[in-house]
Amino acid sequence: MEKLYEYLPRELVTFVLVTLFSLLIGLSQRKISLKREGETTLFGTDRTFTFIGILGYLLYILDPVEYRLFMGGGAILGLLLGLNYYVKQSQFHVFGVTTIIIALITYCIAPIVDTQPSWFYVMVVVTVLLFTELKHTFTELAQRMKNDEMITLAKFLAISGIILPMLPNENLIPDINLTPYTVWLATVVVSGISYLSYLLRRYVFHESGILVSGIIGGLYSSTATISVLARKSRKAPAQEAPEYAAAMLLAVSMMFLRFLILIGIFSKEILAAIYPYLLIMSLVTAGVAWYLHRKRKQVPSTDEEAEEEDSSNPLEFKVALIFAVLFVIFTIVTHYTLLYTGTGGLNVLSFIAGLSDITPFILNLLQGSGVAVMVVTACCMQAIVSNIAVNMCYALFFAGGKSLLRRWVLRGFGGVIAINVCLLLFFYLL
C-alpha cells in the first residue's frame, strides 16, 4: 500500500482509503441494524459513517500540529452519539453501545491510515467488520459455554503466564537435568495442545461425525478418544463398526502429528531426524482408516440424539499434577537407566513406557538427556509403536467381548502395527 505514495499524492491515497473503509463499516452497520433494530433507532449507516470518516480526515489535516480541530470534532461527535443513545434508551429501550464505539473508531481511521503501516489499519478495519458480523456467533458460543469455562481459561493463563515465569531453572537433584521450570514447561505445552483440542471439539466441531471426533480427539489424547469411541460403539449398529475403527485409527494418526508439534517445540535437531518417519506413520495410519471407512455400509439415519462425547476439562489440577509427577519419574528413571545399563536399557525402557502415557517419557528425552539424536529418535518411535499396541488392547477391552468392532480393530490396528514395525526395522538398518 505504501508504494502507491510513489505514484500518487499521499493526500489522495489517504482520502480514498479513509472513504472506502468508512463506507465498508457503514454498509456493515446498515445490514446488521436493519435486521435487528429498525430505522427508528439508527444513528446512521453507510452515508453517515462515510461522512464521519471524511470529517475526521478533514479536521485532522487542517490542524496537523496540535490537532485541536480533530479533538473538538471528536467531542461534538461524542455528544451527538450520547444524545442518540439517550433517545434510544428512553423511547425504544435499546441499550447497546456498539454502534457508538464503531462510529468513534470510524472517526479515528484518518490518523490511523496516515501514521500507521498498511497492515495495521487494514487489521483494524477487518477486526471491526468481523466482530460486527459475529454477534449471533458469540451469543451461540456463550450459550454453549459451561459455567466454569472462564475459570478454565483463567487456569491456563495462570499456569502459562504467571506460574511458569516464576519457577527457578536450577536442578532439583544433582547431576540430573530436572528443574521446576522444565517440568512445568512440558506441562504447559501439553496442556495447551490438549486445551486447543478441547475447544475445537466442544465449540467448532460439536456436531461432527465419528471420524472428525477421532481426528480432534487424537490431538488431545488418542488413548482417551479410543476408549470413548469403543464404549460408544456398543450402542451403535453393527454396520457402523468399520467407521468406529476408522475413527480410532485417525486418532492414532493425529497422535503422530501431535508428537511432531511437541518435538518441533523442544528440539529442532531431533525433529529433522524423525519427521519423515512420523509423517509416513501418520499417512499410513490415515490410509488404513480410509480403507476401513470405505468398508462401512450405509445405514438409514435416525432421529435419536447423539450421545455427547466426553468433553471433560483437560486443565484440571489433578491432570496437570499427574503429568508433572510422571515427567519427574521418567526423568529419574531415564537417568539411572542410562547410568547403569546404557542405551540398551533405554531402548527397553521405551517399550515399557508405551504401556502408560508416553508423552512425559518423550518430552524428557527431548529436554537435554545427553543421548545421541538417533538413539532418541529410535526410542520415540519404539514408545509410540508400543503405545499403539496398548491402544488396540483398550479398544478391544472397552468394545466388549461380543462386539463386531473387535474384528475391525484387529484388522486395522494389526495392519498399522505391522507396517510401523517394518518402518522401525528400516530405521535400524540405516
Side-chain angles (χ1 to χ4, degrees):
M1 206 67 82
E2 284 78 4
K3 291 185 178 180
L4 290 176
Y5 296 139
E6 300 177 4
Y7 307 100
L8 297 173
R10 185 182 185 89
E11 292 78 7
L12 174 62
V13 175
T14 305
F15 177 80
V16 171
L17 290 176
V18 169
T19 304
L20 177 61
F21 292 151
S22 303
L23 177 60
L24 289 175
I25 294 174
L27 288 172
S28 175
Q29 287 300 299
R30 176 178 288 279
K31 176 178 178 295
I32 299 299
S33 299
L34 285 177
K35 183 187 297 184
R36 300 176 186 174
E37 294 183 2
E39 290 285 356
T40 55
T41 62
L42 293 181
F43 175 79
T45 52
D46 37 33
R47 292 184 303 167
T48 303
F49 276 79
T50 303
F51 291 142
I52 289 175
I54 294 174
L55 175 65
Y57 177 65
L58 295 176
L59 296 180
Y60 173 75
I61 63 174
L62 287 175
D63 186 11
V65 180
E66 299 182 356
Y67 305 110
R68 288 175 296 186
L69 291 177
F70 182 78
M71 291 187 292
I76 295 174
L77 176 63
L79 178 62
L80 294 175
L81 291 170
L83 292 174
N84 176 260
Y85 177 75
Y86 173 77
V87 173
K88 288 167 59 177
Q89 180 184 4
S90 59
Q91 295 187 11
F92 302 102
H93 303 289
V94 177
F95 300 94
V97 296
T98 303
T99 303
I100 296 176
I101 296 174
I102 293 176
L104 294 174
I105 293 175
T106 305
Y107 183 75
C108 296
I109 284 180
I112 293 175
V113 171
D114 188 61
T115 61
Q116 301 302 315
S118 58
W119 65 265
F120 181 79
Y121 56 72
V122 171
M123 180 182 66
V124 171
V125 175
V126 169
T127 303
V128 171
L129 294 176
L130 284 178
F131 278 80
T132 301
E133 295 286 342
L134 291 176
K135 180 177 180 181
H136 276 310
T137 303
F138 291 143
T139 302
E140 295 174 0
L141 184 65
Q143 292 173 346
R144 285 193 54 82
M145 281 186 177
K146 295 181 179 180
N147 294 333
D148 59 347
E149 202 66 75
M150 289 295 105
I151 298 177
T152 301
L153 177 59
K155 287 179 182 178
F156 179 71
L157 295 177
I159 66 174
S160 59
I162 299 176
I163 298 177
L164 181 63
M166 295 173 60
L167 293 176
N169 198 15
E170 300 176 356
N171 288 341
L172 295 172
I173 305 174
D175 301 326
I176 298 181
N177 186 22
L178 180 65
T179 71
Y181 182 84
T182 57
V183 173
W184 204 249
L185 176 62
T187 305
V188 167
V189 172
V190 174
S191 297
I193 296 176
S194 300
Y195 187 48
L196 175 61
S197 171
Y198 164 78
L199 293 177
L200 289 174
R201 187 170 66 251
R202 180 163 182 81
Y203 298 110
V204 180
F205 300 105
H206 58 277
E207 296 180 352
S208 61
I210 301 172
L211 294 181
V212 177
S213 299
I215 293 173
I216 302 301
L219 287 175
Y220 169 40
S221 171
S222 58
T223 302
T225 302
I226 288 171
S227 301
V228 171
L229 289 172
R231 288 196 299 266
K232 290 183 64 177
S233 68
R234 296 180 178 183
K235 301 179 180 179
Q239 297 90 338
E240 292 287 332
E243 191 80 348
Y244 278 94
M248 295 176 189
L249 290 176
L250 287 176
V252 174
S253 177
M254 294 306 297
M255 177 189 67
F256 290 115
L257 300 182
R258 175 162 58 92
F259 280 116
L260 268 179
I261 296 172
L262 291 174
I263 293 171
I265 292 173
F266 288 99
S267 177
K268 299 295 188 296
E269 187 178 9
I270 296 176
L271 176 66
I274 200 175
Y275 83 89
Y277 301 97
L278 292 186
L279 283 178
I280 292 174
M281 288 179 174
S282 178
L283 292 175
V284 167
T285 308
V288 175
W290 177 252
Y291 171 77
L292 295 182
H293 169 69
R294 299 281 293 179
K295 292 293 184 179
R296 173 198 181 191
K297 296 180 180 179
Q298 298 294 331
V299 296
S301 59
T302 60
D303 296 331
E304 296 180 2
E305 185 177 354
E307 180 183 354
E308 185 175 357
E309 292 186 29
D310 181 18
S311 57
S312 58
N313 176 9
L315 295 178
E316 291 180 358
F317 178 74
K318 63 179 182 181
V319 176
L321 182 61
I322 291 173
F323 179 88
V325 170
L326 287 175
F327 186 87
V328 172
I329 292 174
F330 275 116
T331 301
I332 297 173
V333 171
T334 301
H335 174 78
Y336 287 107
T337 299
L338 285 170
L339 184 63
Y340 292 108
T341 62
T343 56
L346 186 62
N347 280 299
V348 175
L349 180 62
S350 66
F351 285 105
I352 297 175
L355 302 177
S356 63
D357 187 358
I358 60 175
T359 305
F361 173 74
I362 292 179
L363 291 188
N364 170 62
L365 292 178
L366 299 176
Q367 296 198 54
S369 59
V371 185
V373 172
M374 299 310 293
V375 176
V376 173
T377 302
C379 289
C380 291
M381 294 169 61
Q382 290 162 179
I384 292 173
V385 172
S386 175
N387 189 251
I388 295 175
V390 172
N391 284 338
M392 181 183 70
C393 296
Y394 277 121
L396 294 174
F397 175 79
F398 287 109
K402 299 181 180 180
S403 174
L404 292 177
L405 179 67
R406 295 172 65 89
R407 176 166 62 94
W408 294 100
V409 167
L410 288 172
R411 291 174 61 181
F413 276 82
V416 167
I417 293 173
I419 296 173
N420 286 334
V421 169
C422 292
L423 189 62
L424 192 58
L425 292 175
F426 175 78
F427 173 79
Y428 293 151
L429 297 176
L430 288 180

